[in-house]
Structure formats: structure tokens, C-alpha cells
Amino acid sequence: MLGITGGIAAYKSAVLARLLIKAGCDVRVVMTRAACEFITPLTLQALTGNEVHTELLDAEAERGMGHIELAKWADVMVIAPASANTLAKLAAGMADNLLTTICLATSAKVLLAPAMNQAMYAHAITQDNLAKLHNFGYHIITPDAGEQACGDVGAGRLPEPEDLCEQILAVIKKRSTPQVLAGKSVIITAGATTEPIDPVRFLSNHSTGKMGFALAAACRDAGADVVLVSGKRVSLPTPAGVMRINVGTADEMLAACQAKMSELLASTDQNQTAKNQVIFIGTAAVADYKTANVATQKIKKTANEGGLSLQLVRNPDILALMSKTYPDALMVGFAAETQDTENYAKGKLAAKNLDMIACNDVSNQAIGFGSDDNAMTVFFAERYQKARTVLPQASKAQIAASLVACMGEILAQS
Ligand SMILES: Cc1cc2nc3c(=O)[nH]c(=O)nc-3n(C[C@H](O)[C@H](O)[C@H](O)COP(=O)(O)O)c2cc1C
């Protein structure tokens, strides 16, 4: 259910409704009277193919889908934009129009996307109302900051419809996903590292980050707090609700992982083992080598007509170091190989003291770097009941969900 209130950003709700429908949602719209001054119900009716509801005290409307029926019908309610006025009413438990009455009557998750002038948003009463609503279980979507329709600059802009849609879909997905990682913190590395040669050139690889980003979203959907340490050249959008840290070199990736891990371990519940609380997943394609010396100036071909030799030195093995430094965290590795995959994967599992390793054959174009599909065999450390799980070819999102289920299984045995 999409609720629209009387704000200047109501025009964005039309695009949001379209995007939600495109994503497979059945959208019904409820508008306040003030909202109808900004955008017509006819527009939303045409876009959603459903009657738009506006009136509470209307016998005709109640004969159709009444307010309680609407409240029961909704799986998720989104109010975008949510005016300061409607937020205040909801915080006070008021039910003086159709939208606020449905909010009070529904057991669905309610998402509020506040949008208003920056001074209205910053006002202590609005902030107090938002805090109250958060405590009552409403999900607050943080507004964007920037230039506003009124010319002011500050926080209070409704996020763009694409961004809003992604955040809403993430909440919907979470509600339908078993929360096997609830209360856990996850650090995932993804994408390729880049090792500079000189100020304009670098060494890297074909990793696009698709698997790591899909896994970050799947861990989030399963209830985890997720930090994604990503190669800076990954061009994928960051999954909503996931904290992304961009890094360049393998050394930078290691430092970011160590800093985040130390921070997480310092804040974990001392009564539980870290294995039950913190998970490290290494999906990044980390360069094995870096240049021994990075040239400070662009290397000129005129100065190297006979050819150019680069001296390379080993990079740190991030997964091995993280596993050694933080033996209490659950360690998940990936092995992308082109030959003898099973032996390499099992070797890595033992040598790096991992809990599980997901192994795929990147020589197969259909499931390799950059493809949308993957197929994997997951091997578990000997201390677990199961030795392996085969995940047949499926989308990276489906494979990611299966990998999360594997983590859930071994966490239950830890
Ligand atoms: C041109 C114009 C733009 C407005 N924009 C906003 C806005 O972006 N956010 C907001 O909270 N109120 C805004 N208001 C004020 C609301 O429309 C007003 O508080 C109204 O009572 C909200 O009613 P509702 O919450 O029932 O939709 C605006 C008013 C006008 C005249």
C-alpha cells in the first residue's frame, strides 16, 4: 500500500508506484486530501490499475474496500512523501483521515519517508515525532540532503524513486526471508583490487563484484548488519542498508577489514563467542602481486623502447591473515579456479583454517566473472556435520541466498 500526503515531492510517488509495480508489487494507493492538491488520484489510478482511496467517512467508499479491509490487505505500507503533519498525527496516535486510520489499524510493517522543508525537518518536534515513531516500530527512511524545491539547502528531500524503491523492496525481502543471521555482523570483501604501476596505470583482474554484492544483500535480508569492503572500480549500486567502504589496493583492503573487524569485536556481546556473532566473507579477487615500486611519474614509452619489466612482490593474503588474527570469527572463503577446483578449494579450506569455502570454476563462461549466474560446491571444515553442499547453476542472488543458508546451518552447530 502506498500512502501519499500533501508535500511537494508527491510527484515522485507516481514514479515510485510504477517502479514497485514493475518489481512485482500489487500497489493500492491511499491519498490525503492535501496530497490530492499536488497530484491527482486519476494519475495514480491509471498507473496502478486500482481505485485510489481518499475518504474515510464515506459510505460509498466503505461499501467497496473499507478502511479495515485495506489495513488487513496490506503486507507493507509505505508513506512517501510523509508530511510533517501526518508524522505528527501518527506519533500522537490520531486517526482522523483514511491514511492515519489505516496506519493504526494495520499489522503490516509501515515505512515512512519524511519529506519537507529543511527547517520543518530539523524542528525538535518533528525529530521527536520521528524518534517516537521509530520506537513504535515504524521504519523511517532517511531523507536526502541537498537543494530543496523551496530553494533552501539541507536535509528533508524525498530520495529519488529508484532509491526509495530499492529500500522498500529490501524491507519486503527481509520480511519474507528466514532471519538466520539476525544479530550477526558480516564483513564481505568484493570486486577486484587495483595495484598501481604509476599515477595512470594499474594491475587488476576481471572481477565485477557481482557475487559479493549479491551476498551482501542476501546477508542483509537474513538479518545481518553488513559492511561491504569493495574494490573502488566496482560499478554496481550498493545494496540498500549495506555500509560500503571503497578501497584500491590489497593493502588498503586488508587495513579496512582489520579496522572494521576490531571495531566489531570490541562491541560484541562478551557472553557469546565471536563465532556466533561476527562473520568474515572473502569474495574479492585480491591481486596476488603488487609492483615492488610504484613510479611517481607516468612511465614514458620513449624511455623504455626496448620493453619494460615490472618487478612484482607478493601481496598479503587477506583471508589467511584475517583467519589467523581473528580465529573466533566465522570465516568463509571463495575459490575461483580454472582447473582441479575441488583440490584447490579443500586445500585452501584447511590451510587458511576456514569454516566453509565456496568453490566455482571460472573457466566456464556461463558462471564466471561478470556473468549473472553461478554454480558452486561448498565444502565445510571437518568439525561440522556436513562435508559438502552442491549448489547447481542459478542466479547469483539465488546462490547467495543458498550460501547464507549454509552459514546458518554451521552457525547453529558452532
Ligand atoms: C506548496 C506547498 C508545499 C508543501 N510541501 C510540503 C512538504 O514538502 N512537506 C510537508 O510536510 N508539508 C508540506 N506542505 C504543507 C502540507 O501540505 C500541510 O501541512 C498539509 O496539512 C499536510 O496534510 P496531510 O499530512 O494530511 O497530507 C506544503 C504546503 C504547500 C502549500
Side-chain angles (χ1 to χ4, degrees):
M1 167 114 32
L2 175 60
I4 307 176
T5 68
I8 196 72
Y11 73 94
K12 291 185 181 174
S13 309
V15 183
L16 176 62
R18 264 194 69 79
L19 291 171
L20 289 169
I21 290 166
K22 225 171 141 188
C25 302
D26 185 3
V27 179
R28 284 183 180 273
V29 176
V30 175
M31 297 172 72
T32 62
R33 285 192 185 159
C36 300
E37 299 290 329
F38 291 87
I39 181 169
T40 70
L42 188 62
T43 302
L44 276 306
Q45 183 185 308
L47 287 172
T48 62
N50 286 322
E51 183 194 348
V52 172
H53 307 268
T54 55
E55 297 303 319
L56 176 64
L57 304 173
D58 178 341
E60 200 52 43
E62 275 292 299
R63 245 199 301 277
M65 207 171 188
H67 68 284
I68 298 296
E69 267 175 283
L70 283 167
K72 286 184 179 158
W73 174 85
D75 292 325
V76 170
M77 272 198 75
V78 183
I79 305 186
S83 67
N85 176 59
T86 292
L87 294 176
K89 286 186 187 180
L90 292 174
M94 285 175 68
D96 68 342
N97 64 21
L98 183 62
L99 184 60
T100 50
T101 305
I102 291 173
C103 282
L104 214 51
T106 191
S107 55
K109 184 80 183 167
V110 182
L111 284 70
L112 303 171
M116 63 203 69
N117 165 270
Q118 52 82 25
M120 289 171 81
Y121 180 68
H123 199 290
I125 295 181
T126 303
Q127 289 303 314
D128 194 48
N129 287 334
L130 285 168
K132 212 184 254 180
L133 289 164
H134 172 74
N135 289 338
F136 281 129
Y138 288 83
H139 177 106
I140 314 293
I141 295 176
T142 309
D144 284 351
E147 195 177 331
Q148 301 198 297
C150 57
D152 280 9
V153 177
R157 270 166 49 130
L158 189 69
E160 292 310 312
E162 291 73 15
D163 182 10
L164 270 180
C165 183
E166 214 208 315
Q167 294 196 46
I168 295 162
L169 294 177
V171 171
I172 294 173
K173 188 79 196 296
K174 192 168 177 175
R175 282 171 73 78
S176 60
T177 305
Q179 298 296 284
V180 296
L181 302 185
K184 317 286 181 215
S185 296
V186 175
I187 300 175
I188 302 181
T189 66
T193 56
T194 45
E195 305 297 337
I197 297 170
D198 67 15
V200 295
R201 304 181 182 94
F202 56 82
L203 299 169
S204 193
N205 58 63
H206 290 299
S207 172
T208 58
K210 273 187 186 169
M211 192 62 236
F213 275 55
L215 201 48
C219 290
R220 171 207 62 197
D221 292 342
D225 276 337
V226 184
V227 177
L228 183 58
V229 181
S230 170
K232 64 183 177 190
R233 301 189 73 250
V234 173
S235 57
L236 301 168
T238 309
V242 167
M243 182 192 176
R244 176 171 175 174
I245 301 171
N246 276 339
V247 294
T249 64
D251 286 318
E252 285 169 17
M253 186 171 269
L254 175 63
C257 291
Q258 285 171 327
K260 207 67 216 172
M261 183 63 96
S262 302
E263 191 185 310
L264 285 176
L265 291 177
S267 62
T268 52
D269 182 346
Q270 299 303 313
N271 294 322
Q272 289 201 41
T273 63
K275 235 193 200 16
N276 283 330
Q277 297 182 69
V278 185
I279 302 168
F280 181 81
I281 308 173
T283 72
V286 182
D288 289 331
Y289 297 93
K290 61 184 167 189
T291 49
N293 299 299
V294 179
T296 51
Q297 301 297 331
K298 183 180 173 188
I299 299 171
K300 292 290 188 198
K301 60 178 178 290
T302 44
N304 296 280
E305 288 297 357
L308 176 68
S309 294
L310 291 174
Q311 194 197 345
L312 302 180
V313 292
R314 281 298 305 265
N315 254 330
D317 183 330
I318 295 178
L319 190 53
L321 282 169
M322 291 298 286
S323 174
K324 202 168 162 201
T325 320
Y326 307 101
D328 282 343
L330 192 91
M331 288 286 159
V332 180
F334 274 71
E337 303 290 353
T338 54
Q339 55 176 330
D340 202 10
T341 41
E342 179 167 341
N343 275 335
Y344 278 119
K346 282 182 171 169
K348 253 188 187 178
L349 179 72
K352 300 186 187 184
N353 193 23
L354 307 178
D355 290 277
M356 68 179 237
I357 191 160
C359 152
N360 70 336
D361 181 351
V362 287
S363 66
N364 179 346
Q365 292 285 314
I367 59 168
F369 288 129
S371 71
D372 290 325
D373 277 10
N374 213 338
M376 293 191 151
T377 306
V378 183
F379 299 96
F380 300 97
E382 280 174 10
R383 55 187 167 278
Y384 298 113
Q385 288 158 10
K386 213 190 247 180
R388 71 168 72 190
T389 293
V390 176
L391 306 177
Q393 186 170 339
S395 73
K396 284 186 173 168
Q398 285 166 315
I399 293 282
S402 301
L403 290 170
V404 168
C406 289
M407 289 176 221
E409 270 180 53
I410 59 172
L411 274 170
Q413 296 167 36
S414 296

